Amino acid sequence: MEAGGLDSDGRQFNNAEEMWREEVGDHPKKTEWYHKGVGYWEGVEASVDGVLGGYGHVNEPDIKSSEAFLNTLFVDRFPSGEGNRHLVALDCGAGIGRVTKNLLIRYFNEVDLLEPVSHFLEAARENLSPDNLIILDSHKASNFYCVPLQEFTPDAGRYDVIWVQWCIGHLTDDDFVSFFKRAKDGLKPGGLFVLKENIARTGFVLDKEDRSITRSDLYFKELFDRCGLHIYKSKDQKGFPEELFQVKIYALTPDLPKRVNRTRPKAQTNRPGIIR
């Protein structure tokens, strides 16, 4: 990763390697990186507005876009002819269970939640209790893991979808790659990762307050390659305030996607401008 970046204090870095050497160059500094990241969120209210950084109003367009994307994956990967299949998802960085409650639990028979901030996870337990849900009895939140992403190893072959939203920025590059390599074993045959994240224009932006990094699309693609993952589909989020980063959602597969023979070249589409 040769593209430069900057931190929230305005300091410029020539490349990501230079930044990571300074931030987590040895074991004590890496431990401090993760400790301060969790510590930041421990001081945040366990509410939709809290976990969305004061932008609670983006919840609706976020869920709407994610649901449309998930539906395209269901058509391709989990066709209606497999209606009896027991579907299981893992919600990484689950917070108060916002994505699980509003989306995943309606599509999957079981959802496990992974969240390192204990008061968020307790709120998720309450939000996802049977008394607070209007869903089929065959759909439930099964397990609540209070474990950091970089320390978690899923049970082998458990998940159809591992959903990772607005949390991977807290992982260093090495732990990013290590997590996805471990998590591959947690997917069922044909299973997918879904990663939804903020996107920097180029390089990266480091937030010194919450110890997170916003990566560019190219940065992500380089890390996907290191993980041995392939982009199955991707989509830009629409309808967010202009002052926010662009948000992109990727469906990732450990398997090389099959090539489709075309009789004519695929038409180029106009790419939207990047929102910052």
Side-chain angles (χ1 to χ4, degrees):
M1 166 51 65
E2 294 301 324
L6 58 101
D7 66 21
S8 50
D9 294 332
R11 176 178 172 181
Q12 300 280 341
F13 295 91
N14 293 320
N15 51 55
E17 288 78 6
E18 177 187 348
M19 182 275 293
W20 287 124
R21 280 196 302 271
E22 177 161 324
E23 292 295 324
V24 296
D26 55 34
H27 183 71
K29 291 181 74 173
K30 188 174 184 180
T31 300
E32 181 184 14
W33 166 276
Y34 286 121
H35 178 74
K36 287 188 174 181
V38 171
Y40 171 85
W41 290 105
E42 285 175 341
V44 171
E45 179 184 82
S47 65
V48 171
D49 204 48
V51 298
L52 292 178
Y55 286 87
H57 56 284
V58 308
N59 177 64
E60 184 175 350
D62 170 55
I63 295 297
K64 184 178 180 181
S65 180
S66 293
E67 182 166 18
F69 189 78
L70 184 61
N71 272 313
T72 67
L73 300 181
F74 264 72
V75 169
D76 292 347
R77 310 288 283 209
F78 314 118
S80 58
E82 299 180 13
N84 293 325
R85 180 169 176 171
H86 186 84
L87 297 171
V88 185
L90 173 66
D91 184 359
C92 297
I96 62 171
R98 180 186 69 89
V99 174
T100 291
K101 182 174 184 177
N102 291 299
L103 176 61
L104 299 179
I105 206 164
R106 295 191 286 112
Y107 285 83
F108 295 88
N109 302 98
E110 293 183 69
V111 183
D112 294 342
L113 288 82
L114 178 66
E115 171 55 52
V117 179
S118 58
H119 77 288
F120 284 175
L121 200 63
E122 287 308 309
R125 287 182 187 273
E126 178 66 20
N127 292 334
L128 294 165
S129 67
D131 293 340
N132 291 325
L133 291 175
I134 304 176
I135 55 171
L136 296 173
D137 292 339
S138 58
H139 292 239
K140 63 180 180 178
S142 294
N143 298 297
F144 296 80
Y145 300 111
C146 193
V147 181
L149 198 63
Q150 71 275 10
E151 297 177 13
F152 183 76
T153 300
D155 292 340
R158 173 160 172 77
Y159 301 109
D160 296 278
V161 169
I162 295 179
W163 192 281
V164 186
Q165 180 166 351
W166 285 331
C167 62
I168 203 70
H170 288 287
L171 265 59
T172 66
D173 289 356
D174 288 344
D175 285 336
F176 180 115
V177 174
S178 178
F179 166 73
F180 278 106
K181 285 186 174 180
R182 292 194 312 276
K184 284 181 191 179
D185 291 336
L187 291 175
K188 295 178 184 177
L192 293 167
F193 293 104
V194 176
L195 175 69
K196 189 168 188 178
E197 267 299 338
N198 294 340
I199 303 292
R201 292 172 185 248
T202 60
F204 60 89
V205 179
L206 168 66
D207 189 320
K208 300 281 286 185
E209 185 177 16
D210 69 1
R211 291 305 195 275
S212 69
I213 179 174
T214 299
R215 299 171 169 99
S216 68
D217 178 61
L218 179 59
Y219 196 154
F220 273 119
K221 288 175 178 175
E222 291 183 1
L223 290 179
F224 297 158
D225 187 61
R226 286 176 57 187
C227 295
L229 294 173
H230 309 278
I231 297 176
Y232 182 74
K233 285 188 177 182
S234 65
K235 180 182 179 182
D236 294 309
Q237 171 72 45
K238 306 289 187 182
F240 277 11
E242 290 188 359
E243 68 267 22
L244 298 180
F245 282 107
Q246 180 195 21
V247 173
K248 198 175 189 75
I249 186 167
Y250 305 90
L252 305 166
T253 173
D255 308 312
L256 191 64
K258 295 179 180 178
R259 293 185 179 276
V260 177
N261 293 324
R262 299 182 182 275
T263 57
R264 58 183 178 181
K266 183 179 179 181
Q268 293 292 320
T269 57
N270 292 325
R271 294 181 64 98
I274 294 176
I275 297 173
R276 169 69 170 88

